[in-house]
Amino acid sequence: MSDLISYQLEDGIATLTLSNGKVNAISPDVIAAFNAALDRAEQDCAIVIITGQPGILSGGYDLKVMTSGPQNAINLVAAGSTLARRMLAHPYPIIVACPGHAVAKGAFILLSADYRIGVEGPFNIGLNEVQIGMTMHHVGIELARDRLRKSAFHRSVINGEMFDPAGAVDAGFLDKIVPAEQLLATAQAVAQQMKKINMTAHKNTKLKVRKALLETLDAAIEMDKQHLL
């Protein structure tokens, strides 16, 4: 489907694999490929598994784009926030199989999914924006506020604290961790279990549960377009 996001459909499960350099940077082209892959998964009525390369889901937004000019940064963040909002409202379950590090936008991909599986190992998961001199955007704050445990929210967003995989489960970035060699098999097993869900009920319930969050994110996306990061 794309060199940046490969698409594999098997037995009603679409596996989207991110591959963009050493840190799987999230660029405008990656976001376009993500949206195209989600379009296809929706057409295929497929449960979605999102994964990355061994050792990393994503290190965040493409810093070359983020530092190329204020408007480019604003546009990239808006596109990424709109993708997160789309994932939260996707009509079929989205599972993330996180093969290692998930930093900044990589961690927000986790916070935008329905079920998140990580791997054991010396990996960092979290929101490092304040560490690298970025004021957290409104969408990031609201998404983290909704999905993280209250005790971890301030430590993560304001302090830029990074978590190991076990700590990421406690914080709310992940739902479970497994040995690396079991990651994709576990994600497949979760997807097979989710096939028992009535997908119309899943979609309608998801939209009810997340109604307030989605409305908050819509307003936050517009606010972020008006402010320098």
Side-chain angles (χ1 to χ4, degrees), residues 137-212:
H137 55 306
H138 291 96
V139 168
I141 291 169
E142 296 305 332
L143 184 52
R145 192 197 312 276
D146 187 83
R147 300 301 304 269
L148 294 179
R149 285 177 59 148
K150 189 173 183 179
S151 60
F153 169 64
H154 289 273
R155 290 160 54 199
S156 177
V157 173
I158 296 174
N159 299 350
E161 182 175 336
M162 304 301 289
F163 300 88
D164 63 16
V169 172
D170 185 64
F173 287 103
L174 295 173
D175 293 300
K176 71 184 297 183
I177 55 174
V178 297
E181 63 272 15
Q182 297 177 19
L183 177 63
L184 287 179
T186 302
Q188 290 280 345
V190 171
Q192 290 292 342
Q193 182 67 25
M194 284 187 170
K195 283 186 178 181
K196 298 176 182 178
I197 296 171
N198 178 290
M199 291 303 162
T200 299
H202 168 81
K203 176 186 71 174
N204 291 339
T205 301
K206 178 187 288 187
L207 292 176
K208 276 187 177 181
V209 168
R210 295 180 178 161
K211 182 177 186 292

Side-chain angles (χ1 to χ4, degrees), residues 1 7-8 19 27 56 69 75 82 96 104-105 107 134 143 147 153 169 174 176 178 180 187 197-198 210 216:
M1 175 150 192
Y7 185 96
Q8 180 181 0
S19 179
S27 66
I56 190 160
N75 291 344
T82 302
V96 176
K105 183 57 181 177
M134 288 181 61
L143 184 52
R147 300 301 304 269
F153 169 64
V169 172
L174 295 173
K176 71 184 297 183
V178 297
I197 296 171
N198 178 290
R210 295 180 178 161
T216 298

